[in-house]
Amino acid sequence: MILVAITGIPAAGTLPAHRDYHPWAQVTEAVYLVQSGKSPLVEYFGNHGIWSTAASDVMGTTSGKYLSAITIARGAGATSDLMVRTTMQTLNVNSSVAGGTLELPTGDGGRISSCTGGAIVMKYRPASCRS
């Protein structure tokens, strides 16, 4: 009985953290894939003077196991600011992040620097996308 109490109490404290781990891991896939596309997008802008008309034109992978799509939400084919949006799948994804979005706007001179926009709750984002 004492053994159950010794192992059960610490294990009960890990359950809330474990519940948040699955959606966090799924969102991390989206962040990883969109971050890997930043350089090709900026390079395209540098070579052509405008943004690509579609993320798939310059990025190798625009979907994944949990990620439905990476799209250009604003600024495609233009010289204005660019908004890259990731959209999570709606099936086979934790319900806390299903269909959620992350948005990465351009900053100074076409530099994509932040992933704090979008509708995914902050606690499910990697630390680099929370502030």
Side-chain angles (χ1 to χ4, degrees), residues 14-122:
T14 63
L15 288 177
H18 181 70
R19 274 195 306 265
D20 290 346
Y21 176 77
H22 287 273
W24 177 84
Q26 292 169 349
V27 171
T28 299
E29 178 198 51
V31 172
Y32 172 76
L33 289 174
V34 77
Q35 296 283 5
S36 68
K38 287 183 355 180
S39 293
L41 282 167
V42 171
E43 185 177 331
Y44 185 94
F45 183 81
N47 291 338
H48 301 282
I50 61 171
W51 293 109
S52 172
T53 55
S56 59
D57 291 347
V58 294
M59 296 175 68
T61 304
T62 57
S63 64
K65 184 174 182 181
Y66 307 111
L67 178 66
S68 177
I70 298 173
T71 57
I72 296 178
R74 181 182 71 230
T79 58
S80 61
D81 289 343
L82 180 76
M83 175 74 71
V84 178
R85 179 178 293 139
T86 66
T87 305
M88 301 298 292
Q89 293 188 15
T90 55
L91 301 174
N92 303 317
V93 179
N94 187 286
S95 62
S96 300
V97 297
T101 59
L102 288 175
E103 294 177 340
L104 289 83
T106 58
D108 51 353
R111 195 171 143 215
I112 301 171
S113 58
S114 169
C115 55
T116 56
I120 294 177
V121 177
M122 292 295 172

